[in-house]
Amino acid sequence: MSKKNQYPVQKFTGIPVEADAGGKYQLKVDQHGTVKLHTWRTGKHTKGKYQGPGQVMLTENNLPVVILAAEPLAFKDRHSETPLQRFLTVKVTDDVLQQGLVILENQ
């Protein structure tokens, strides 16, 4: 593949979130009461810009996810991760971000 078709790829680690009754994002807990980390990557058609930890993104299935960490991903390795759809301009509250970062550190 020629270089001109390549694009920068980043890998993001995040936790799905859901809005509470007040419209604020909270970490999404599964039926076992646990919160799971997942990874996604930017794709050729990903919309928006990554601004930093705490930002919310949408997966291709329209699942909102809070981004906890970002790292470069080699272009050739991109197929090991699922592409995300878009970055939102909204962020989670600092306490939710801190909860997520603690989970990330303990994994």
Side-chain angles (χ1 to χ4, degrees):
M1 186 169 119
S2 69
K3 276 266 194 234
K4 69 179 173 48
N5 290 329
Q6 290 193 16
Y7 51 91
V9 182
Q10 276 184 297
K11 176 177 166 181
F12 297 96
T13 303
I15 296 175
V17 291
E18 55 193 353
D20 63 15
K24 296 216 180 310
Y25 283 112
Q26 303 295 334
L27 299 180
K28 190 171 185 175
V29 179
D30 71 13
Q31 60 267 36
H32 306 293
T34 56
V35 172
K36 291 206 170 74
L37 291 167
H38 297 280
T39 55
W40 290 269
R41 66 168 172 91
T42 45
K44 191 169 195 168
H45 304 290
T46 300
K47 306 274 186 270
K49 281 241 181 287
Y50 173 61
Q51 293 158 345
Q55 184 177 7
V56 178
M57 67 179 191
L58 281 183
T59 68
E60 291 194 320
N61 300 331
N62 290 318
L63 177 70
V65 172
V66 58
I67 300 169
L68 301 173
E71 58 192 281
L73 182 65
F75 189 79
K76 64 179 175 49
D77 296 335
R78 71 193 185 285
H79 293 298
S80 63
E81 302 296 336
T82 308
L84 64 104
Q85 181 193 134
R86 70 173 46 240
F87 295 106
L88 302 179
T89 54
V90 64
K91 290 187 151 201
V92 298
T93 57
D94 286 344
D95 58 322
V96 172
L97 176 58
Q98 286 310 313
Q99 285 175 345
L101 291 173
V102 167
I103 291 165
L104 180 64
E105 282 172 22
N106 292 326
Q107 290 287 314

